[in-house]
Amino acid sequence: MPSIFQRFQKAPVPSADATPLFLVVGLGNPGREYAGTRHNVGFQVIEQLAARHGIAVARRQFQGAVGVGRIGDARVVLLRPLTFMNLSGTSVAAAVRYHHVELSHIVVVMDDVNLPLGKLRLRSQGSAGGHNGLQNVMERLDTQSVPRIRIGVGGSRSADLVQHVLSRFRKEEQAEMDIACELAADAVEFAIQHGFELAMTRFNPGRGA
């Protein structure tokens, strides 16, 4: 059976605007009780990009909050799935199907408990690494080749990982996380303008400038 992307590529949508279209997805959980938690750093990066580029992420579509605009010369769809983390793929797949987004033009931003606090790691493919939101995205898109930006939120000293990712940052951690989200937004912009492979070289630890 052809993958979701192979099926989409057979029927491109005509457009008067030939500039590339990118889908940037921030993973998280909806609702005030989850705002500012470690699991929601993907949402924070979407908010950062929206503020920088004057994109209102307010329209309800694809079971998410959506904003459409431009980053540089590229057309961009910003998406915050509102399905709760473990069902994020439902929202992402709907957006991909509607906009006929190419695989290489997707960027998923999310938290990672396996990375030190505030550190980024960019990968263009690979396993979900235990992240249920990314796992569901890959399952719904039928591929592991999903470009992603992981943001380290620090590991847990306790055995309760769920409680950890749903906790908020301590006061002494917040400034570092604010910088990390800014840097992740920089990485998204760079990837859109120059390609994800170059972004990996520039923004992964120990690589690039």
Side-chain angles (χ1 to χ4, degrees):
M1 180 178 293
S3 72
I4 189 171
F5 292 103
Q6 289 172 328
R7 296 198 298 272
F8 293 164
Q9 289 170 354
K10 291 179 181 179
V13 174
S15 173
D17 190 342
T19 55
L21 174 67
F22 289 80
L23 174 64
V24 183
V25 183
L27 299 186
N29 287 309
R32 290 184 179 180
E33 64 269 38
Y34 299 107
T37 61
R38 297 172 194 269
H39 226 16
N40 273 35
V41 294
F43 278 16
Q44 293 179 45
V45 175
I46 292 296
E47 292 166 5
Q48 180 65 234
L49 290 166
R52 287 185 185 185
H53 300 280
I55 302 172
V57 184
R59 188 172 71 205
R60 294 299 178 95
Q61 193 176 16
F62 317 126
Q63 298 185 56
V66 178
V68 179
R70 285 183 177 269
I71 293 179
D73 295 330
R75 295 176 296 144
V76 176
V77 177
L78 302 180
L79 172 65
R80 289 188 292 111
L82 301 179
T83 54
F84 287 94
M85 181 67 80
N86 292 0
L87 297 176
S88 299
T90 302
S91 177
V92 175
V96 169
R97 181 170 60 249
Y98 182 86
H99 287 288
H100 292 247
V101 182
E102 294 182 16
L103 174 60
S104 61
H105 288 178
I106 299 172
V107 180
V108 176
V109 186
M110 61 192 187
D111 63 294
D112 192 330
V113 297
N114 297 312
L115 287 177
L117 187 78
K119 301 301 181 184
L120 302 188
R121 179 169 295 160
L122 282 65
R123 294 190 68 190
S124 59
Q125 58 185 331
S127 72
H131 195 287
N132 291 334
L134 179 60
Q135 181 64 42
N136 190 249
V137 169
M138 295 193 303
E139 288 174 356
R140 293 304 302 267
L141 298 182
D142 193 25
T143 180
Q144 287 192 338
S145 297
V146 179
R148 77 290 304 259
I149 298 175
R150 298 177 180 269
I151 305 174
V153 296
S156 173
R157 297 178 182 177
S158 72
D160 193 342
L161 183 60
V162 173
Q163 183 179 17
H164 177 66
V165 297
L166 296 182
S167 68
R168 290 177 170 79
F169 296 102
R170 297 187 297 273
K171 185 177 180 179
E172 62 270 22
E173 295 176 317
Q174 191 60 60
E176 190 168 356
M177 285 310 303
D178 290 343
I179 294 172
C181 288
E182 291 268 4
L183 187 60
D186 292 344
V188 170
E189 293 169 343
F190 189 92
I192 288 173
Q193 294 297 310
H194 304 287
F196 203 82
E197 295 296 322
L198 281 178
M200 288 193 294
T201 299
R202 183 177 180 89
F203 288 92
N204 276 337
R207 303 289 300 276

PDB file of all heavy atoms in Angstrom, residues 84-117:
ATOM      1  N   PHE A  84      -4.731  16.431  22.371  1.00  0.00           N
ATOM      2  CA  PHE A  84      -3.902  15.884  23.427  1.00  0.00           C
ATOM      3  C   PHE A  84      -2.737  15.122  22.785  1.00  0.00           C
ATOM      4  O   PHE A  84      -2.827  14.624  21.671  1.00  0.00           O
ATOM      5  CB  PHE A  84      -4.671  15.025  24.431  1.00  0.00           C
ATOM      6  CG  PHE A  84      -5.527  15.856  25.345  1.00  0.00           C
ATOM      7  CD1 PHE A  84      -6.867  16.093  25.042  1.00  0.00           C
ATOM      8  CD2 PHE A  84      -4.986  16.439  26.473  1.00  0.00           C
ATOM      9  CE1 PHE A  84      -7.643  16.879  25.867  1.00  0.00           C
ATOM     10  CE2 PHE A  84      -5.759  17.232  27.309  1.00  0.00           C
ATOM     11  CZ  PHE A  84      -7.090  17.469  27.000  1.00  0.00           C
ATOM     12  N   MET A  85      -1.634  15.086  23.522  1.00  0.00           N
ATOM     13  CA  MET A  85      -0.355  14.673  22.972  1.00  0.00           C
ATOM     14  C   MET A  85      -0.400  13.337  22.232  1.00  0.00           C
ATOM     15  O   MET A  85       0.093  13.211  21.110  1.00  0.00           O
ATOM     16  CB  MET A  85       0.681  14.608  24.103  1.00  0.00           C
ATOM     17  CG  MET A  85       2.068  14.204  23.655  1.00  0.00           C
ATOM     18  SD  MET A  85       2.853  15.441  22.592  1.00  0.00           S
ATOM     19  CE  MET A  85       3.423  16.621  23.835  1.00  0.00           C
ATOM     20  N   ASN A  86      -0.974  12.330  22.852  1.00  0.00           N
ATOM     21  CA  ASN A  86      -0.887  10.979  22.302  1.00  0.00           C
ATOM     22  C   ASN A  86      -1.653  10.778  21.010  1.00  0.00           C
ATOM     23  O   ASN A  86      -1.498   9.746  20.346  1.00  0.00           O
ATOM     24  CB  ASN A  86      -1.362   9.959  23.334  1.00  0.00           C
ATOM     25  CG  ASN A  86      -0.414   9.863  24.519  1.00  0.00           C
ATOM     26  OD1 ASN A  86       0.602  10.551  24.576  1.00  0.00           O
ATOM     27  ND2 ASN A  86      -0.750   9.007  25.467  1.00  0.00           N
ATOM     28  N   LEU A  87      -2.490  11.753  20.617  1.00  0.00           N
ATOM     29  CA  LEU A  87      -3.256  11.663  19.367  1.00  0.00           C
ATOM     30  C   LEU A  87      -2.872  12.779  18.401  1.00  0.00           C
ATOM     31  O   LEU A  87      -3.617  13.091  17.476  1.00  0.00           O
ATOM     32  CB  LEU A  87      -4.754  11.716  19.662  1.00  0.00           C
ATOM     33  CG  LEU A  87      -5.314  10.567  20.512  1.00  0.00           C
ATOM     34  CD1 LEU A  87      -6.788  10.810  20.804  1.00  0.00           C
ATOM     35  CD2 LEU A  87      -5.122   9.228  19.811  1.00  0.00           C
ATOM     36  N   SER A  88      -1.685  13.346  18.573  1.00  0.00           N
ATOM     37  CA  SER A  88      -1.246  14.473  17.749  1.00  0.00           C
ATOM     38  C   SER A  88      -1.244  14.152  16.259  1.00  0.00           C
ATOM     39  O   SER A  88      -1.480  15.016  15.421  1.00  0.00           O
ATOM     40  CB  SER A  88       0.162  14.912  18.165  1.00  0.00           C
ATOM     41  OG  SER A  88       0.195  15.342  19.496  1.00  0.00           O
ATOM     42  N   GLY A  89      -0.985  12.898  15.918  1.00  0.00           N
ATOM     43  CA  GLY A  89      -0.910  12.517  14.514  1.00  0.00           C
ATOM     44  C   GLY A  89      -2.204  12.713  13.750  1.00  0.00           C
ATOM     45  O   GLY A  89      -2.186  12.941  12.534  1.00  0.00           O
ATOM     46  N   THR A  90      -3.331  12.624  14.440  1.00  0.00           N
ATOM     47  CA  THR A  90      -4.624  12.847  13.786  1.00  0.00           C
ATOM     48  C   THR A  90      -4.690  14.255  13.212  1.00  0.00           C
ATOM     49  O   THR A  90      -5.100  14.456  12.064  1.00  0.00           O
ATOM     50  CB  THR A  90      -5.764  12.647  14.795  1.00  0.00           C
ATOM     51  OG1 THR A  90      -5.694  11.326  15.333  1.00  0.00           O
ATOM     52  CG2 THR A  90      -7.121  12.854  14.132  1.00  0.00           C
ATOM     53  N   SER A  91      -4.260  15.223  13.989  1.00  0.00           N
ATOM     54  CA  SER A  91      -4.263  16.616  13.552  1.00  0.00           C
ATOM     55  C   SER A  91      -3.236  16.861  12.450  1.00  0.00           C
ATOM     56  O   SER A  91      -3.526  17.501  11.438  1.00  0.00           O
ATOM     57  CB  SER A  91      -3.987  17.520  14.755  1.00  0.00           C
ATOM     58  OG  SER A  91      -3.907  18.873  14.375  1.00  0.00           O
ATOM     59  N   VAL A  92      -2.030  16.329  12.647  1.00  0.00           N
ATOM     60  CA  VAL A  92      -0.955  16.545  11.673  1.00  0.00           C
ATOM     61  C   VAL A  92      -1.309  15.924  10.325  1.00  0.00           C
ATOM     62  O   VAL A  92      -1.140  16.548   9.268  1.00  0.00           O
ATOM     63  CB  VAL A  92       0.372  15.972  12.198  1.00  0.00           C
ATOM     64  CG1 VAL A  92       1.464  16.096  11.133  1.00  0.00           C
ATOM     65  CG2 VAL A  92       0.792  16.690  13.474  1.00  0.00           C
ATOM     66  N   ALA A  93      -1.811  14.700  10.336  1.00  0.00           N
ATOM     67  CA  ALA A  93      -2.163  14.025   9.085  1.00  0.00           C
ATOM     68  C   ALA A  93      -3.248  14.782   8.326  1.00  0.00           C
ATOM     69  O   ALA A  93      -3.212  14.875   7.096  1.00  0.00           O
ATOM     70  CB  ALA A  93      -2.612  12.590   9.359  1.00  0.00           C
ATOM     71  N   ALA A  94      -4.209  15.338   9.059  1.00  0.00           N
ATOM     72  CA  ALA A  94      -5.276  16.103   8.402  1.00  0.00           C
ATOM     73  C   ALA A  94      -4.714  17.346   7.727  1.00  0.00           C
ATOM     74  O   ALA A  94      -5.109  17.697   6.612  1.00  0.00           O
ATOM     75  CB  ALA A  94      -6.340  16.488   9.424  1.00  0.00           C
ATOM     76  N   ALA A  95      -3.773  18.025   8.387  1.00  0.00           N
ATOM     77  CA  ALA A  95      -3.161  19.219   7.801  1.00  0.00           C
ATOM     78  C   ALA A  95      -2.318  18.876   6.585  1.00  0.00           C
ATOM     79  O   ALA A  95      -2.341  19.577   5.570  1.00  0.00           O
ATOM     80  CB  ALA A  95      -2.305  19.937   8.849  1.00  0.00           C
ATOM     81  N   VAL A  96      -1.568  17.785   6.671  1.00  0.00           N
ATOM     82  CA  VAL A  96      -0.744  17.337   5.541  1.00  0.00           C
ATOM     83  C   VAL A  96      -1.627  17.001   4.341  1.00  0.00           C
ATOM     84  O   VAL A  96      -1.339  17.382   3.205  1.00  0.00           O
ATOM     85  CB  VAL A  96       0.106  16.125   5.956  1.00  0.00           C
ATOM     86  CG1 VAL A  96       0.763  15.477   4.740  1.00  0.00           C
ATOM     87  CG2 VAL A  96       1.176  16.539   6.957  1.00  0.00           C
ATOM     88  N   ARG A  97      -2.716  16.290   4.606  1.00  0.00           N
ATOM     89  CA  ARG A  97      -3.616  15.884   3.528  1.00  0.00           C
ATOM     90  C   ARG A  97      -4.259  17.102   2.862  1.00  0.00           C
ATOM     91  O   ARG A  97      -4.324  17.187   1.631  1.00  0.00           O
ATOM     92  CB  ARG A  97      -4.703  14.956   4.092  1.00  0.00           C
ATOM     93  CG  ARG A  97      -5.681  14.447   3.046  1.00  0.00           C
ATOM     94  CD  ARG A  97      -6.566  13.345   3.612  1.00  0.00           C
ATOM     95  NE  ARG A  97      -7.345  13.806   4.758  1.00  0.00           N
ATOM     96  CZ  ARG A  97      -7.154  13.398   6.001  1.00  0.00           C
ATOM     97  NH1 ARG A  97      -6.187  12.539   6.288  1.00  0.00           N
ATOM     98  NH2 ARG A  97      -7.914  13.851   6.984  1.00  0.00           N
ATOM     99  N   TYR A  98      -4.701  18.039   3.654  1.00  0.00           N
ATOM    100  CA  TYR A  98      -5.392  19.223   3.115  1.00  0.00           C
ATOM    101  C   TYR A  98      -4.452  20.098   2.297  1.00  0.00           C
ATOM    102  O   TYR A  98      -4.802  20.574   1.214  1.00  0.00           O
ATOM    103  CB  TYR A  98      -5.981  20.026   4.274  1.00  0.00           C
ATOM    104  CG  TYR A  98      -6.765  21.243   3.834  1.00  0.00           C
ATOM    105  CD1 TYR A  98      -8.117  21.132   3.495  1.00  0.00           C
ATOM    106  CD2 TYR A  98      -6.170  22.498   3.779  1.00  0.00           C
ATOM    107  CE1 TYR A  98      -8.840  22.246   3.092  1.00  0.00           C
ATOM    108  CE2 TYR A  98      -6.886  23.616   3.375  1.00  0.00           C
ATOM    109  CZ  TYR A  98      -8.217  23.479   3.029  1.00  0.00           C
ATOM    110  OH  TYR A  98      -8.917  24.589   2.625  1.00  0.00           O
ATOM    111  N   HIS A  99      -3.245  20.323   2.806  1.00  0.00           N
ATOM    112  CA  HIS A  99      -2.313  21.243   2.153  1.00  0.00           C
ATOM    113  C   HIS A  99      -1.331  20.554   1.209  1.00  0.00           C
ATOM    114  O   HIS A  99      -0.523  21.234   0.558  1.00  0.00           O
ATOM    115  CB  HIS A  99      -1.513  22.014   3.214  1.00  0.00           C
ATOM    116  CG  HIS A  99      -2.319  23.051   3.929  1.00  0.00           C
ATOM    117  ND1 HIS A  99      -2.721  24.230   3.334  1.00  0.00           N
ATOM    118  CD2 HIS A  99      -2.805  23.076   5.208  1.00  0.00           C
ATOM    119  CE1 HIS A  99      -3.403  24.954   4.206  1.00  0.00           C
ATOM    120  NE2 HIS A  99      -3.468  24.280   5.347  1.00  0.00           N
ATOM    121  N   HIS A 100      -1.372  19.219   1.142  1.00  0.00           N
ATOM    122  CA  HIS A 100      -0.439  18.473   0.288  1.00  0.00           C
ATOM    123  C   HIS A 100       1.009  18.849   0.607  1.00  0.00           C
ATOM    124  O   HIS A 100       1.785  19.185  -0.290  1.00  0.00           O
ATOM    125  CB  HIS A 100      -0.748  18.716  -1.191  1.00  0.00           C
ATOM    126  CG  HIS A 100      -2.053  18.132  -1.629  1.00  0.00           C
ATOM    127  ND1 HIS A 100      -2.160  17.095  -2.521  1.00  0.00           N
ATOM    128  CD2 HIS A 100      -3.330  18.424  -1.263  1.00  0.00           C
ATOM    129  CE1 HIS A 100      -3.428  16.771  -2.709  1.00  0.00           C
ATOM    130  NE2 HIS A 100      -4.161  17.574  -1.954  1.00  0.00           N
ATOM    131  N   VAL A 101       1.351  18.782   1.875  1.00  0.00           N
ATOM    132  CA  VAL A 101       2.682  19.180   2.311  1.00  0.00           C
ATOM    133  C   VAL A 101       3.682  18.075   2.000  1.00  0.00           C
ATOM    134  O   VAL A 101       3.433  16.896   2.276  1.00  0.00           O
ATOM    135  CB  VAL A 101       2.703  19.472   3.827  1.00  0.00           C
ATOM    136  CG1 VAL A 101       4.082  19.946   4.265  1.00  0.00           C
ATOM    137  CG2 VAL A 101       1.644  20.503   4.184  1.00  0.00           C
ATOM    138  N   GLU A 102       4.826  18.445   1.443  1.00  0.00           N
ATOM    139  CA  GLU A 102       5.881  17.475   1.182  1.00  0.00           C
ATOM    140  C   GLU A 102       6.517  17.037   2.501  1.00  0.00           C
ATOM    141  O   GLU A 102       6.628  17.816   3.447  1.00  0.00           O
ATOM    142  CB  GLU A 102       6.954  18.073   0.272  1.00  0.00           C
ATOM    143  CG  GLU A 102       6.467  18.396  -1.128  1.00  0.00           C
ATOM    144  CD  GLU A 102       7.583  18.949  -2.000  1.00  0.00           C
ATOM    145  OE1 GLU A 102       8.766  18.794  -1.613  1.00  0.00           O
ATOM    146  OE2 GLU A 102       7.273  19.524  -3.044  1.00  0.00           O
ATOM    147  N   LEU A 103       6.972  15.796   2.536  1.00  0.00           N
ATOM    148  CA  LEU A 103       7.567  15.243   3.741  1.00  0.00           C
ATOM    149  C   LEU A 103       8.708  16.101   4.267  1.00  0.00           C
ATOM    150  O   LEU A 103       8.802  16.369   5.465  1.00  0.00           O
ATOM    151  CB  LEU A 103       8.077  13.829   3.456  1.00  0.00           C
ATOM    152  CG  LEU A 103       8.851  13.124   4.556  1.00  0.00           C
ATOM    153  CD1 LEU A 103       7.994  12.978   5.804  1.00  0.00           C
ATOM    154  CD2 LEU A 103       9.339  11.778   4.070  1.00  0.00           C
ATOM    155  N   SER A 104       9.575  16.558   3.374  1.00  0.00           N
ATOM    156  CA  SER A 104      10.742  17.339   3.794  1.00  0.00           C
ATOM    157  C   SER A 104      10.374  18.742   4.266  1.00  0.00           C
ATOM    158  O   SER A 104      11.230  19.456   4.796  1.00  0.00           O
ATOM    159  CB  SER A 104      11.748  17.440   2.643  1.00  0.00           C
ATOM    160  OG  SER A 104      11.164  18.092   1.525  1.00  0.00           O
ATOM    161  N   HIS A 105       9.122  19.140   4.085  1.00  0.00           N
ATOM    162  CA  HIS A 105       8.663  20.470   4.473  1.00  0.00           C
ATOM    163  C   HIS A 105       7.850  20.458   5.767  1.00  0.00           C
ATOM    164  O   HIS A 105       7.142  21.416   6.059  1.00  0.00           O
ATOM    165  CB  HIS A 105       7.848  21.104   3.346  1.00  0.00           C
ATOM    166  CG  HIS A 105       8.692  21.521   2.187  1.00  0.00           C
ATOM    167  ND1 HIS A 105       8.146  22.074   1.048  1.00  0.00           N
ATOM    168  CD2 HIS A 105      10.024  21.478   1.981  1.00  0.00           C
ATOM    169  CE1 HIS A 105       9.113  22.344   0.196  1.00  0.00           C
ATOM    170  NE2 HIS A 105      10.262  21.985   0.744  1.00  0.00           N
ATOM    171  N   ILE A 106       7.969  19.383   6.531  1.00  0.00           N
ATOM    172  CA  ILE A 106       7.350  19.299   7.851  1.00  0.00           C
ATOM    173  C   ILE A 106       8.430  19.485   8.905  1.00  0.00           C
ATOM    174  O   ILE A 106       9.520  18.938   8.781  1.00  0.00           O
ATOM    175  CB  ILE A 106       6.655  17.944   8.063  1.00  0.00           C
ATOM    176  CG1 ILE A 106       5.540  17.732   7.042  1.00  0.00           C
ATOM    177  CG2 ILE A 106       6.081  17.838   9.483  1.00  0.00           C
ATOM    178  CD1 ILE A 106       4.941  16.337   7.081  1.00  0.00           C
ATOM    179  N   VAL A 107       8.136  20.263   9.938  1.00  0.00           N
ATOM    180  CA  VAL A 107       9.024  20.364  11.096  1.00  0.00           C
ATOM    181  C   VAL A 107       8.161  20.186  12.347  1.00  0.00           C
ATOM    182  O   VAL A 107       7.224  20.951  12.562  1.00  0.00           O
ATOM    183  CB  VAL A 107       9.760  21.716  11.161  1.00  0.00           C
ATOM    184  CG1 VAL A 107      10.670  21.755  12.394  1.00  0.00           C
ATOM    185  CG2 VAL A 107      10.566  21.969   9.891  1.00  0.00           C
ATOM    186  N   VAL A 108       8.497  19.177  13.142  1.00  0.00           N
ATOM    187  CA  VAL A 108       7.786  18.927  14.388  1.00  0.00           C
ATOM    188  C   VAL A 108       8.686  19.347  15.550  1.00  0.00           C
ATOM    189  O   VAL A 108       9.850  18.942  15.616  1.00  0.00           O
ATOM    190  CB  VAL A 108       7.405  17.439  14.534  1.00  0.00           C
ATOM    191  CG1 VAL A 108       6.744  17.181  15.886  1.00  0.00           C
ATOM    192  CG2 VAL A 108       6.474  17.018  13.399  1.00  0.00           C
ATOM    193  N   VAL A 109       8.152  20.164  16.452  1.00  0.00           N
ATOM    194  CA  VAL A 109       8.917  20.659  17.609  1.00  0.00           C
ATOM    195  C   VAL A 109       8.309  20.068  18.879  1.00  0.00           C
ATOM    196  O   VAL A 109       7.087  20.096  19.069  1.00  0.00           O
ATOM    197  CB  VAL A 109       8.877  22.194  17.683  1.00  0.00           C
ATOM    198  CG1 VAL A 109       9.802  22.695  18.794  1.00  0.00           C
ATOM    199  CG2 VAL A 109       9.276  22.813  16.339  1.00  0.00           C
ATOM    200  N   MET A 110       9.182  19.536  19.761  1.00  0.00           N
ATOM    201  CA  MET A 110       8.658  18.823  20.923  1.00  0.00           C
ATOM    202  C   MET A 110       9.675  18.805  22.051  1.00  0.00           C
ATOM    203  O   MET A 110      10.837  19.180  21.878  1.00  0.00           O
ATOM    204  CB  MET A 110       8.312  17.394  20.530  1.00  0.00           C
ATOM    205  CG  MET A 110       9.519  16.628  20.034  1.00  0.00           C
ATOM    206  SD  MET A 110       9.062  15.084  19.274  1.00  0.00           S
ATOM    207  CE  MET A 110      10.699  14.401  19.042  1.00  0.00           C
ATOM    208  N   ASP A 111       9.227  18.355  23.207  1.00  0.00           N
ATOM    209  CA  ASP A 111      10.078  18.198  24.385  1.00  0.00           C
ATOM    210  C   ASP A 111      10.829  16.874  24.326  1.00  0.00           C
ATOM    211  O   ASP A 111      10.436  15.949  23.611  1.00  0.00           O
ATOM    212  CB  ASP A 111       9.219  18.234  25.650  1.00  0.00           C
ATOM    213  CG  ASP A 111       8.226  17.078  25.688  1.00  0.00           C
ATOM    214  OD1 ASP A 111       7.316  17.054  24.817  1.00  0.00           O
ATOM    215  OD2 ASP A 111       8.351  16.195  26.544  1.00  0.00           O
ATOM    216  N   ASP A 112      11.922  16.792  25.099  1.00  0.00           N
ATOM    217  CA  ASP A 112      12.671  15.542  25.208  1.00  0.00           C
ATOM    218  C   ASP A 112      13.263  15.445  26.609  1.00  0.00           C
ATOM    219  O   ASP A 112      14.112  16.261  26.993  1.00  0.00           O
ATOM    220  CB  ASP A 112      13.786  15.492  24.158  1.00  0.00           C
ATOM    221  CG  ASP A 112      14.410  14.099  24.033  1.00  0.00           C
ATOM    222  OD1 ASP A 112      14.439  13.370  25.040  1.00  0.00           O
ATOM    223  OD2 ASP A 112      14.867  13.747  22.938  1.00  0.00           O
ATOM    224  N   VAL A 113      12.843  14.438  27.364  1.00  0.00           N
ATOM    225  CA  VAL A 113      13.346  14.256  28.727  1.00  0.00           C
ATOM    226  C   VAL A 113      14.735  13.635  28.737  1.00  0.00           C
ATOM    227  O   VAL A 113      15.392  13.599  29.784  1.00  0.00           O
ATOM    228  CB  VAL A 113      12.390  13.378  29.559  1.00  0.00           C
ATOM    229  CG1 VAL A 113      11.041  14.048  29.718  1.00  0.00           C
ATOM    230  CG2 VAL A 113      12.245  11.989  28.950  1.00  0.00           C
ATOM    231  N   ASN A 114      15.183  13.136  27.596  1.00  0.00           N
ATOM    232  CA  ASN A 114      16.493  12.501  27.516  1.00  0.00           C
ATOM    233  C   ASN A 114      17.606  13.474  27.175  1.00  0.00           C
ATOM    234  O   ASN A 114      18.784  13.079  27.122  1.00  0.00           O
ATOM    235  CB  ASN A 114      16.467  11.368  26.490  1.00  0.00           C
ATOM    236  CG  ASN A 114      15.501  10.262  26.881  1.00  0.00           C
ATOM    237  OD1 ASN A 114      15.508   9.802  28.023  1.00  0.00           O
ATOM    238  ND2 ASN A 114      14.656   9.861  25.958  1.00  0.00           N
ATOM    239  N   LEU A 115      17.263  14.726  26.920  1.00  0.00           N
ATOM    240  CA  LEU A 115      18.258  15.754  26.631  1.00  0.00           C
ATOM    241  C   LEU A 115      18.413  16.665  27.846  1.00  0.00           C
ATOM    242  O   LEU A 115      17.446  16.935  28.561  1.00  0.00           O
ATOM    243  CB  LEU A 115      17.832  16.597  25.427  1.00  0.00           C
ATOM    244  CG  LEU A 115      17.929  15.961  24.045  1.00  0.00           C
ATOM    245  CD1 LEU A 115      17.393  16.938  22.988  1.00  0.00           C
ATOM    246  CD2 LEU A 115      19.358  15.567  23.709  1.00  0.00           C
ATOM    247  N   PRO A 116      19.621  17.172  28.069  1.00  0.00           N
ATOM    248  CA  PRO A 116      19.817  18.125  29.171  1.00  0.00           C
ATOM    249  C   PRO A 116      18.936  19.356  28.969  1.00  0.00           C
ATOM    250  O   PRO A 116      18.582  19.720  27.838  1.00  0.00           O
ATOM    251  CB  PRO A 116      21.302  18.490  29.060  1.00  0.00           C
ATOM    252  CG  PRO A 116      21.928  17.359  28.323  1.00  0.00           C
ATOM    253  CD  PRO A 116      20.882  16.861  27.368  1.00  0.00           C
ATOM    254  N   LEU A 117      18.597  19.976  30.047  1.00  0.00           N
ATOM    255  CA  LEU A 117      17.720  21.140  30.012  1.00  0.00           C
ATOM    256  C   LEU A 117      18.233  22.196  29.031  1.00  0.00           C
ATOM    257  O   LEU A 117      19.391  22.615  29.094  1.00  0.00           O
ATOM    258  CB  LEU A 117      17.631  21.753  31.406  1.00  0.00           C
ATOM    259  CG  LEU A 117      16.619  22.881  31.576  1.00  0.00           C
ATOM    260  CD1 LEU A 117      15.224  22.310  31.704  1.00  0.00           C
ATOM    261  CD2 LEU A 117      16.949  23.727  32.795  1.00  0.00           C
TER     262      LEU A 117
END
